[in-house]
Amino acid sequence: MSDSVPMNAKLRQAMLLAPALIFLAVFFVMPLFDNSMRSFMSEDGGFTLSRYTSFLTDRFYLGVIVETVVLAAAVTVISVVIAYPVAYVLVRKAGRLSGVFIFLLIAPLLTSIIMRTFGWQVLFARRGLVNQWLVTDLGILDVPLRWLNTPGLAIAALVHVLVPFAVLSIASVLQGVDRRLEEGALMLGASKLRTFFEVTLPLTMDGIGTGAILVFMIANGSFVTLVLLGGGFQTLPLLIYQQFNTTRDFALASTMSTILLAIALVCLWLQLRLVRRQGA
Amino acid sequence: MNAPSTLTLSSVRKKFGALTAVDDLDLTIEPGALVSLLGPSGCGKTTTLRMVAGFETPDSGRIEIGGKDVTRQAPNKRGLGMVFQSYSLFPHRTVAENVAFGPRMAGASKQEQTEKMRKMLDMVHLNGREDMYPSQLSGGQQQRVALARALIVSPQVLLLDEPLGALDKSLRESMQFEIREMQQRLEITTLLVTHDQQEAMSMSDQIAVMQGGRILQLGAPHEIYDRPETSFVATFLGASNLFQGRVGADGRTLATAVGNLPLPRAADAGTEAVLSVRPERVVLGAEAGTLPQGLSGRVVTSSFRGSYAAYRVALDGTEMEITAYRQADAALGQGGLAIGDKVPLGWPIEGSVIVTDPATGEE
């Protein structure tokens, strides 16, 4: 049989993938599926959408969804604004130091997010390092400031975690921008600033888009930072945690998880579209 | 259009680390003239162009456009137009937006932008493609858009950086004529950078042959071709047969490995010299009998090249091979040469030139 060889090759490839696929199926897909199913199951075991209709018509829960999305959007905007100049310097100015730059960017990701968040707690606790500087060492303030449980600190910590993702997305696209295009604009009388807004920025929109979606997705599902640093936010992940651990309303928690998952899937779809357009 | 401007480079020097890219270069382009910088890669031609454009700043020396010192002026203030090798059209903008970019940056009204843009697209025969994106155009069309985009600002000087490098051969030749015709009609002072000798010869008023950051020779194309001053110029611009030797006591002959060759002009007796003979000046066969060199050889290879045939001939009694071109009808008709044929050969004395070998610095 002439095509037995490619069939065997395919089979072998499938076998190589099998361990990973089985692992993902058992520990990722099945629980996720089981969890989602629970949200569609009525008390008597039948199918129902009643949880979704009541959830999505409840002002409180809608407010939570809006707050989750707004928080993620704010973190995204701040992250991208901070990331762009960093990416620009990394690609255009760092030269031989770019390797060091990238290491500095990625190094924080090697530490678990819980450790990094604890770091923020240590720094900004009532008797933490920052207050000690301000009150004791520098004497700027008479009484320590309350940082923990303020929205600003929570947002700052999220941005801190997520900026590298935005930087790397933007940098990879910026790397591919032909500098002759910028020189062309300069030759035609555009100032450097004008050149940036007419040429560089539009050509890096894909990188901004990819980075923004990535940051948004992660911020949307962020949990640890908000639990540890507070900030008074009432977001979906926090609510899900409460439902599972305090209220023990598993079905409602599953409903919210599925909604959160849906938001993430929409983002993922947008990102795939963006990437496919780049490739075309 | 502006009145054509003079471009002057005086003692311009540029180093990158230890490498001297451009070394004490002087060049003047008269108003409305097209001068080519021709040389192999790394000869400093592109660096020179980039200094005129303002993308690099010379370490020393002056660059003047229209009598005004622009050495340290920002690129966007110099009033230049430039066509890049890869065209550098803005991929996210339409043809119309690309061409109208210059006037828009200059603050022209929408109406003025459109008018100028249409006029330019008309000139490069691209009307009707306003709303297309560069990626939808062929290489030749992109190149025309790039030209229109550069010319719309009525530049004082037009810079062409290997503008035809990305096109295939037949298109390249027709674009050469087209650009040259446009440049002459608009009387626009132009600096062309190229490594293609044929492009330089067919487009330029003057060619500056560059090597090692210096201009080796500057002159009209036919001058440089007919009277190369160095062996580098002789071989870089067209092909050349070079004969190295020592000038005889009478100062009129050169003692070489292939025998005594008559010189086209007197040289200092006893010095080293190189004689350059263009392949099309070499005469093969019976007609060579009357020529003074009295050489003969055996045909080693022959290749038909359309309008002419090229032969390699091994000279009798030596290791040396020389290249000779013959018109195609002679090559194909009676007297056509086959490999292995024994032929007398020579060249008219005025068809040879004494050149310097920069390696020895001697004539």
XYZ file of all heavy atoms in Angstrom, chain B residues 179-232:
432
model
N 12.723 57.296 -16.213
C 13.176 58.179 -15.140
C 14.100 59.256 -15.701
O 13.979 60.435 -15.372
C 13.915 57.368 -14.039
C 12.923 56.434 -13.341
C 14.565 58.298 -13.040
C 13.558 55.544 -12.298
N 15.000 58.847 -16.581
C 15.938 59.798 -17.168
C 15.191 60.884 -17.940
O 15.494 62.067 -17.823
C 16.898 59.047 -18.093
C 17.855 59.900 -18.872
C 18.765 60.688 -17.967
N 19.898 61.239 -18.722
C 20.650 62.228 -18.289
N 20.387 62.813 -17.122
N 21.674 62.667 -18.998
N 14.188 60.466 -18.687
C 13.420 61.423 -19.491
C 12.719 62.425 -18.573
O 12.744 63.633 -18.796
C 12.416 60.643 -20.347
C 11.652 61.447 -21.369
C 10.397 62.069 -20.788
O 9.747 61.424 -19.950
O 10.098 63.223 -21.139
N 12.119 61.907 -17.505
C 11.404 62.760 -16.560
C 12.362 63.716 -15.857
O 12.086 64.896 -15.695
C 10.723 61.848 -15.532
C 9.391 62.343 -15.058
S 8.677 61.168 -13.896
C 8.305 59.787 -14.914
N 13.505 63.182 -15.481
C 14.496 63.991 -14.764
C 14.995 65.127 -15.652
O 15.162 66.261 -15.196
C 15.655 63.079 -14.326
C 16.780 63.752 -13.577
C 17.917 64.172 -14.509
O 18.150 63.557 -15.549
N 18.601 65.245 -14.128
N 15.181 64.838 -16.940
C 15.671 65.887 -17.830
C 14.591 66.914 -18.121
O 14.856 68.103 -18.202
C 16.176 65.269 -19.133
C 17.521 64.581 -18.931
C 18.044 63.964 -20.215
O 17.296 63.318 -20.946
N 19.316 64.138 -20.474
N 13.349 66.435 -18.245
C 12.251 67.346 -18.540
C 12.027 68.288 -17.360
O 11.794 69.474 -17.517
C 10.978 66.548 -18.831
C 9.835 67.376 -19.340
C 8.860 66.523 -20.150
N 8.598 65.226 -19.551
C 7.694 65.022 -18.585
N 6.974 66.026 -18.130
N 7.500 63.820 -18.095
N 12.089 67.744 -16.148
C 11.854 68.561 -14.959
C 13.114 69.302 -14.528
O 13.081 70.101 -13.605
C 11.363 67.682 -13.798
C 10.064 66.913 -14.042
C 9.775 65.974 -12.882
C 8.907 67.875 -14.243
N 14.233 69.015 -15.191
C 15.524 69.628 -14.853
C 15.787 69.541 -13.365
O 16.010 70.543 -12.681
C 15.554 71.096 -15.293
C 15.553 71.251 -16.788
C 15.732 72.698 -17.190
O 15.761 73.545 -16.285
O 15.835 72.963 -18.392
N 15.742 68.340 -12.865
C 15.899 68.178 -11.429
C 17.274 67.591 -11.106
O 17.683 66.597 -11.694
C 14.750 67.329 -10.854
C 14.851 67.253 -9.351
C 14.682 65.950 -11.441
C 13.539 66.819 -8.747
N 17.984 68.278 -10.238
C 19.311 67.831 -9.805
C 19.159 66.482 -9.114
O 18.366 66.359 -8.188
C 19.916 68.849 -8.825
O 19.806 70.145 -9.395
C 21.360 68.522 -8.513
N 19.914 65.478 -9.577
C 19.670 64.125 -9.088
C 20.957 63.401 -8.732
O 21.952 63.485 -9.462
C 18.912 63.306 -10.158
O 17.709 63.988 -10.488
C 18.577 61.911 -9.658
N 20.917 62.725 -7.597
C 22.027 61.861 -7.188
C 21.518 60.424 -7.204
O 20.561 60.092 -6.511
C 22.508 62.244 -5.786
C 23.686 61.438 -5.235
C 24.935 61.678 -6.064
C 23.955 61.813 -3.779
N 22.156 59.591 -8.030
C 21.739 58.198 -8.172
C 22.815 57.296 -7.584
O 23.992 57.447 -7.894
C 21.540 57.867 -9.656
C 21.397 56.391 -10.041
C 20.063 55.827 -9.600
C 21.545 56.216 -11.549
N 22.398 56.405 -6.721
C 23.339 55.424 -6.181
C 23.033 54.068 -6.792
O 21.882 53.635 -6.798
C 23.224 55.344 -4.643
C 23.814 54.047 -4.131
C 23.938 56.520 -4.013
N 24.044 53.438 -7.374
C 23.802 52.147 -8.001
C 25.082 51.314 -8.027
O 26.182 51.847 -7.945
C 23.257 52.328 -9.434
O 22.987 51.048 -9.984
C 24.252 53.047 -10.316
N 24.909 49.994 -8.098
C 26.074 49.149 -8.313
C 26.019 48.569 -9.719
O 26.848 47.770 -10.113
C 26.122 48.026 -7.275
C 24.981 47.068 -7.394
N 23.794 47.271 -6.743
C 24.844 45.956 -8.130
C 22.974 46.286 -7.067
N 23.568 45.483 -7.910
N 25.001 49.001 -10.488
C 24.765 48.460 -11.822
C 25.378 49.419 -12.847
O 24.866 50.512 -13.076
C 23.243 48.326 -12.020
C 22.888 47.754 -13.373
O 23.729 47.837 -14.300
O 21.770 47.246 -13.521
N 26.483 48.985 -13.459
C 27.212 49.893 -14.346
C 26.387 50.289 -15.568
O 26.460 51.416 -16.036
C 28.527 49.254 -14.782
C 28.402 47.794 -15.086
C 29.045 47.418 -16.383
O 29.187 48.244 -17.270
N 29.423 46.158 -16.494
N 25.548 49.347 -16.012
C 24.747 49.644 -17.194
C 23.722 50.744 -16.881
O 23.493 51.648 -17.664
C 24.055 48.352 -17.644
C 23.476 48.423 -19.026
C 21.970 48.549 -18.977
O 21.339 48.036 -18.064
N 21.403 49.254 -19.927
N 23.143 50.652 -15.670
C 22.190 51.659 -15.224
C 22.877 53.023 -15.111
O 22.355 54.041 -15.579
C 21.658 51.221 -13.850
C 20.529 52.042 -13.310
C 19.955 51.358 -12.060
O 19.521 50.198 -12.182
O 19.956 51.975 -10.985
N 24.066 53.025 -14.526
C 24.807 54.279 -14.376
C 25.109 54.880 -15.741
O 24.928 56.077 -15.970
C 26.093 54.039 -13.599
N 25.544 54.035 -16.683
C 25.936 54.564 -17.988
C 24.740 55.090 -18.758
O 24.825 56.108 -19.425
C 26.664 53.480 -18.784
C 28.076 53.295 -18.300
S 29.117 52.494 -19.504
C 28.736 50.796 -19.196
N 23.609 54.413 -18.675
C 22.490 54.841 -19.514
C 21.733 56.023 -18.910
O 20.994 56.696 -19.611
C 21.538 53.671 -19.772
O 20.956 53.253 -18.568
N 21.902 56.297 -17.620
C 21.092 57.354 -17.009
C 21.844 58.639 -16.683
O 21.233 59.682 -16.492
C 20.437 56.832 -15.716
C 19.375 55.769 -15.954
S 18.667 55.176 -14.418
C 17.636 56.554 -13.943
N 23.175 58.575 -16.613
C 23.884 59.682 -15.965
C 24.448 60.715 -16.922
O 24.832 60.400 -18.046
C 25.049 59.140 -15.142
O 24.684 57.973 -14.486
N 24.534 61.963 -16.444
C 25.372 62.962 -17.095
C 26.815 62.695 -16.720
O 27.711 62.789 -17.541
C 24.978 64.368 -16.631
C 23.609 64.751 -17.136
O 23.437 64.771 -18.365
O 22.721 65.012 -16.306
N 27.006 62.367 -15.434
C 28.352 62.046 -14.976
C 28.291 60.847 -14.051
O 27.303 60.658 -13.333
C 28.955 63.223 -14.219
C 29.341 64.365 -15.138
C 30.333 65.281 -14.462
O 30.051 65.834 -13.414
N 31.506 65.418 -15.051
N 29.371 60.062 -14.085
C 29.480 58.920 -13.184
C 30.667 59.150 -12.260
O 31.735 59.565 -12.717
C 29.707 57.609 -13.970
C 28.498 57.299 -14.852
C 29.972 56.450 -13.016
C 28.686 56.067 -15.717
N 30.450 58.930 -10.972
C 31.564 58.935 -10.029
C 31.777 57.494 -9.597
O 30.930 56.918 -8.925
C 31.241 59.815 -8.830
N 32.887 56.909 -10.027
C 33.175 55.526 -9.637
C 33.840 55.564 -8.268
O 34.824 56.278 -8.067
C 34.097 54.828 -10.652
C 34.320 53.379 -10.232
C 33.482 54.884 -12.033
N 33.239 54.850 -7.308
C 33.745 54.903 -5.936
C 34.356 53.581 -5.517
O 33.912 52.507 -5.924
C 32.607 55.246 -4.974
C 32.177 56.700 -5.049
S 31.001 57.114 -3.743
C 32.054 57.055 -2.291
N 35.388 53.702 -4.690
C 35.968 52.524 -4.043
C 36.616 52.978 -2.751
O 37.257 54.036 -2.715
C 37.013 51.866 -4.960
C 37.436 50.503 -4.448
C 38.755 50.050 -5.049
O 39.532 50.852 -5.551
N 39.018 48.764 -4.970
N 36.402 52.227 -1.689
C 37.028 52.545 -0.407
C 36.713 53.930 0.107
O 37.556 54.587 0.706
N 35.488 54.396 -0.132
C 35.075 55.692 0.408
C 35.565 56.891 -0.388
O 35.379 58.032 0.020
N 36.218 56.637 -1.511
C 36.717 57.745 -2.326
C 36.157 57.661 -3.733
O 35.790 56.582 -4.191
C 38.244 57.682 -2.449
C 38.974 57.962 -1.180
C 40.444 57.564 -1.353
N 41.197 57.931 -0.169
C 41.692 59.155 0.043
N 41.549 60.107 -0.868
N 42.344 59.423 1.157
N 36.154 58.806 -4.413
C 35.802 58.800 -5.832
C 37.079 58.571 -6.612
O 38.021 59.353 -6.536
C 35.141 60.132 -6.235
C 33.792 60.269 -5.534
C 34.973 60.201 -7.750
C 33.068 61.569 -5.823
N 37.130 57.454 -7.353
C 38.331 57.142 -8.122
C 38.372 57.959 -9.396
O 39.423 58.399 -9.841
C 38.357 55.655 -8.494
C 38.587 54.659 -7.380
C 38.686 53.261 -7.970
C 39.855 54.997 -6.620
N 37.206 58.113 -10.013
C 37.169 58.836 -11.278
C 35.777 59.406 -11.481
O 34.785 58.749 -11.178
C 37.529 57.906 -12.440
C 37.835 58.641 -13.731
C 38.342 57.707 -14.825
O 38.620 56.535 -14.581
N 38.444 58.234 -16.032
N 35.742 60.639 -11.975
C 34.473 61.295 -12.219
C 34.457 61.784 -13.653
O 35.422 62.415 -14.102
C 34.310 62.487 -11.254
C 33.103 63.392 -11.465
C 31.831 62.697 -11.012
C 33.276 64.695 -10.718
N 33.415 61.485 -14.378
C 33.365 61.967 -15.743
C 32.114 61.487 -16.440
O 31.326 60.726 -15.873
N 31.931 61.945 -17.683
C 30.799 61.494 -18.472
C 30.960 59.996 -18.709
O 32.078 59.489 -18.733
C 30.754 62.249 -19.790
N 29.839 59.273 -18.896
C 29.918 57.818 -19.058
C 30.911 57.379 -20.124
O 31.725 56.488 -19.890
C 28.489 57.439 -19.437
C 27.643 58.485 -18.807
C 28.448 59.747 -18.830
N 30.897 58.037 -21.310
C 31.792 57.578 -22.380
C 33.251 57.863 -22.032
O 34.142 57.097 -22.373
C 31.406 58.219 -23.718
C 31.603 59.695 -23.766
N 32.773 60.262 -24.164
C 30.780 60.710 -23.411
C 32.660 61.591 -24.089
N 31.464 61.869 -23.623
N 33.502 58.967 -21.303
C 34.881 59.270 -20.884
C 35.408 58.184 -19.969
O 36.519 57.685 -20.133
C 34.929 60.591 -20.104
C 34.876 61.835 -20.965
C 34.707 63.077 -20.104
O 34.913 63.001 -18.860
O 34.358 64.112 -20.661
N 34.560 57.842 -18.998
C 35.011 56.836 -18.035
C 35.201 55.498 -18.718
O 36.132 54.763 -18.428
C 33.972 56.718 -16.904
C 33.851 58.061 -16.229
C 34.342 55.606 -15.941
C 33.705 58.005 -14.758
N 34.334 55.217 -19.666
C 34.428 53.923 -20.339
C 35.658 53.879 -21.250
O 36.401 52.908 -21.249
C 33.154 53.662 -21.148
C 33.107 52.272 -21.719
C 32.717 51.196 -20.935
C 33.473 52.039 -23.039
C 32.696 49.917 -21.448
C 33.456 50.765 -23.566
C 33.065 49.702 -22.767
O 33.050 48.435 -23.274
N 35.845 54.950 -22.010
C 36.934 54.939 -22.988
C 38.288 55.239 -22.360
O 39.318 54.791 -22.838
C 36.672 55.983 -24.089
C 35.569 55.539 -25.021
O 35.289 54.322 -25.044
O 34.984 56.396 -25.704
N 38.287 56.054 -21.317
C 39.575 56.432 -20.732
C 39.592 56.187 -19.231
O 39.680 57.112 -18.433
C 39.866 57.915 -21.032
C 40.164 58.180 -22.505
C 40.719 59.547 -22.732
N 39.777 60.614 -22.383
C 38.771 61.001 -23.164
N 38.579 60.399 -24.317
N 37.962 61.964 -22.791
N 39.463 54.924 -18.837
C 39.564 54.643 -17.405
C 40.963 54.996 -16.923
O 41.929 54.814 -17.654
C 39.303 53.137 -17.322
C 39.654 52.604 -18.664
C 39.355 53.705 -19.645
N 41.053 55.539 -15.720
C 42.362 55.941 -15.209
C 42.999 54.841 -14.367
O 44.205 54.831 -14.172
C 42.234 57.226 -14.369
C 42.008 58.450 -15.240
C 41.542 59.657 -14.464
O 41.480 59.565 -13.216
O 41.232 60.673 -15.098
N 42.166 53.966 -13.830
C 42.717 52.897 -12.994
C 42.210 51.550 -13.486
O 41.180 51.468 -14.155
C 42.286 53.055 -11.519
O 40.869 53.028 -11.485
C 42.787 54.354 -10.919
N 42.947 50.513 -13.112
C 42.532 49.171 -13.533
C 41.197 48.814 -12.884
O 40.391 48.089 -13.451
C 43.605 48.146 -13.159
O 43.902 48.227 -11.787
N 40.924 49.361 -11.673
C 39.646 49.084 -11.022
C 38.493 49.626 -11.856
O 37.514 48.927 -12.123
C 39.609 49.699 -9.618
C 38.279 49.520 -8.942
C 37.974 48.317 -8.316
C 37.322 50.526 -8.967
C 36.746 48.141 -7.715
C 36.089 50.348 -8.369
C 35.801 49.156 -7.742
